[in-house]
Amino acid sequence: DAGVTQSPTHLIKTRGQQVTLRCSPKSGHDTVSWYQQALGQGPQFIFQYYEEEERQRGNFPDRFSGHQFPNYSSELNVNALLLGDSALYLCASSPRTGTVRTLNTEAFFGQGTRLTVV
Amino acid sequence: KNEVEQSPQNLTAQEGEFITINCSYSVGISALHWLQQHPGGGIVSLFMLSSGKKKHGRLIATINIQEKHSSLHITASHPRDSAVYICAAPPNIYYGGSQGNLIFGKGTKLSVKP
């Protein structure tokens, strides 16, 4: 089992460009969450996808969008890149428990994509 | 004020020392995650606990839900334990599904010197 895989590992983009990051969840997981981690900070929740729809969203502008495919893999798109978008982007997958109370499942994280905007 | 606070921010220890990292949270949760992040960036889940104590090798995690406090202990620390340790919590137990919107602490950077 490859676990959670993200691509690419590193990326350099110019301000104003668009970028697409990819994530394949761990086998058996159908829920993908994306996080942005600025240098020296803890990760911040961007959004979560399951059943091919965005289910929850953190405090990020509409320039951040995503997609989930039928095979549960996911993409994070960022438009009109700003210098402040430079960060490590982490993907986490988990199985959706499907009930309100049993939300506590172990999260599996990818290695992240290091995005640098110049 | 961050809803999940960790202390200390930085910790330097000598090999063999007993390490304690603390996490306090103000959100209502039913479980808390301890994660390890190495310099390359990847995050590994160490523990998820909702009560009492869990142990894995030299790592021990405890939580007191009533006091909203958790600790991560490392016994007989080793230089390979050097990493950033992060605690994270889902903000609301009445969230249908998995814990996608974890709230993270800023992390504790641990350096263990030989």
Side-chain angles (χ1 to χ4, degrees):
Chain A
D1 182 4
V4 181
T5 58
Q6 290 187 245
S7 63
T9 53
H10 295 83
L11 200 53
I12 300 175
K13 287 286 190 179
T14 303
R15 191 171 47 182
Q17 283 189 314
Q18 179 263 346
V19 68
T20 297
L21 311 181
R22 296 176 176 82
C23 172
S24 293
K26 180 178 168 62
S27 177
H29 288 184
D30 64 356
T31 300
V32 173
S33 304
W34 286 93
Y35 297 87
Q36 180 196 63
Q37 186 178 24
L39 199 61
Q41 301 294 316
Q44 298 289 318
F45 173 68
I46 304 175
F47 43 52
Q48 181 187 66
Y49 277 82
Y50 59 83
E51 294 177 357
E52 300 179 47
E53 288 190 21
E54 182 182 298
R55 299 295 179 171
Q56 281 227 340
R57 189 178 183 93
N59 189 25
F60 279 80
D62 292 343
R63 297 187 298 110
F64 290 76
S65 63
H67 188 77
Q68 186 179 38
F69 299 94
N71 66 354
Y72 309 126
S73 67
S74 176
E75 288 181 349
L76 163 65
N77 301 294
V78 187
N79 294 322
L81 284 167
L82 303 174
L83 297 179
D85 296 331
S86 295
L88 179 70
Y89 289 84
L90 293 159
C91 167
S93 78
S94 53
R96 179 166 181 249
T97 59
T99 66
V100 171
R101 294 186 181 276
T102 59
L103 71 116
N104 302 309
T105 59
E106 190 174 1
F108 290 82
F109 287 82
Q111 289 294 308
T113 294
R114 175 77 61 188
L115 172 65
T116 302
V117 182
V118 297
Chain B
K1 184 179 186 298
N2 200 23
E3 292 169 291
V4 178
E5 297 277 355
Q6 283 185 242
S7 63
Q9 275 190 295
N10 292 282
L11 185 55
T12 301
Q14 287 298 128
E15 183 173 356
E17 284 187 4
F18 181 83
I19 304 291
T20 295
I21 300 170
N22 295 300
C23 178
S24 297
Y25 50 90
S26 58
V27 293
I29 70 165
S30 56
L32 184 131
H33 299 256
W34 280 103
L35 310 164
Q36 180 192 56
Q37 186 172 33
H38 280 280
I43 290 180
V44 174
S45 177
L46 299 174
F47 295 103
M48 185 195 68
L49 67 166
S50 55
S51 66
K53 179 166 76 173
K54 282 191 176 180
K55 185 175 188 293
H56 184 251
R58 295 180 295 104
L59 300 177
I60 303 168
T62 63
I63 190 169
N64 185 317
I65 291 288
Q66 288 73 30
E67 294 185 3
K68 295 186 176 178
H69 181 269
S70 177
S71 293
L72 176 69
H73 306 285
I74 305 175
T75 61
S77 59
H78 190 276
R80 65 173 173 267
D81 297 326
S82 298
V84 176
Y85 292 84
I86 305 171
C87 67
N92 189 329
I93 65 170
Y94 294 109
Y95 167 50
S98 53
Q99 75 298 336
N101 53 333
L102 289 170
I103 298 175
F104 291 78
K106 291 186 177 180
T108 295
K109 185 175 181 180
L110 171 65
S111 275
V112 181
K113 306 293 185 188

